[in-house]
Amino acid sequence: MTAAKKRPPGRWKAGESGNPAGRKPGTGEVARLRAAIADRVPELLSKLMAQALAGDTAAARLLLERAIAPLKAAEQPQALTLPDGTLTDQGRAVLASVAAGELAPGQGAALLGAIGTLARVAEVDELTARITALEEKNAKP
C-alpha cells in the first residue's frame, strides 16, 4: 500500500514559477551594466588597442586572449615497435620507451590505455570461445 506524496506547504509544482508576477528577465543591475558596456564597446576596444600599441602588455594580452584561440601543445607522432609476445611485455616496452625519453608521457599513456582495451577485448574473445566449446561439449545429440 503506497501513500500519495503530498507537497510541502508553500512549494510549487515542477515547471511552475514561484513568483509569476516577479521581475522580468533582463531588467536587473547586471543586465543594465551589460547594456551600458555594449553601447560603448567600439570606444573601449579602440582605447584598449591604443594602450596595447603604446606598450601596455596587460592590454595586449587581454586583446590577444579574446581575439585568438590559444595554441594547444601537439605531440609529434613517434614510431614504436612493440615486441611480439604478451600484452604485459608490450606494456613494459611502452613504459621503457617513456622512461628513456623516446616517447612522450601522453603518448605512452594513450598506448597503455589502448593495450588495456585490447586486453579486455581479448578476454571477451577468450571467454566466448570457452563458452562455445563448453556448449558444444555438453550439447545433447
Side-chain angles (χ1 to χ4, degrees):
M1 190 177 192
T2 59
K5 284 188 175 181
K6 290 186 178 181
R7 244 182 338 152
R11 297 287 179 181
W12 51 90
K13 295 177 186 174
E16 183 179 285
S17 172
N19 186 10
R23 186 176 66 210
K24 302 293 181 210
T27 58
E29 285 296 317
V30 172
R32 276 188 283 232
L33 181 60
R34 284 185 177 155
I37 291 172
D39 291 341
R40 312 237 1 225
V41 165
E43 181 183 335
L44 291 170
L45 283 176
S46 64
K47 178 74 172 176
L48 194 57
M49 180 75 78
Q51 289 175 341
L53 291 173
D56 185 345
T57 56
R61 183 174 2 144
L62 181 64
L63 281 171
L64 290 173
E65 286 174 352
R66 300 296 186 254
I68 300 173
L71 297 175
K72 293 182 181 179
E75 295 175 342
Q76 295 298 320
Q78 180 65 39
L80 179 66
T81 304
L82 294 176
D84 292 332
T86 67
L87 294 175
T88 303
D89 293 338
Q90 293 177 358
R92 285 187 178 126
V94 170
L95 289 175
S97 294
V98 171
E102 300 167 354
L103 197 62
Q107 291 173 328
L111 280 173
L112 287 175
I115 290 171
T117 300
L118 182 60
R120 287 188 292 279
V121 169
E123 184 179 334
V124 169
D125 285 345
E126 181 184 336
L127 288 173
T128 302
R130 292 169 99 187
I131 290 171
T132 303
L134 284 172
E135 287 174 346
E136 288 174 359
K137 180 179 176 184
N138 293 326
K140 292 183 181 176

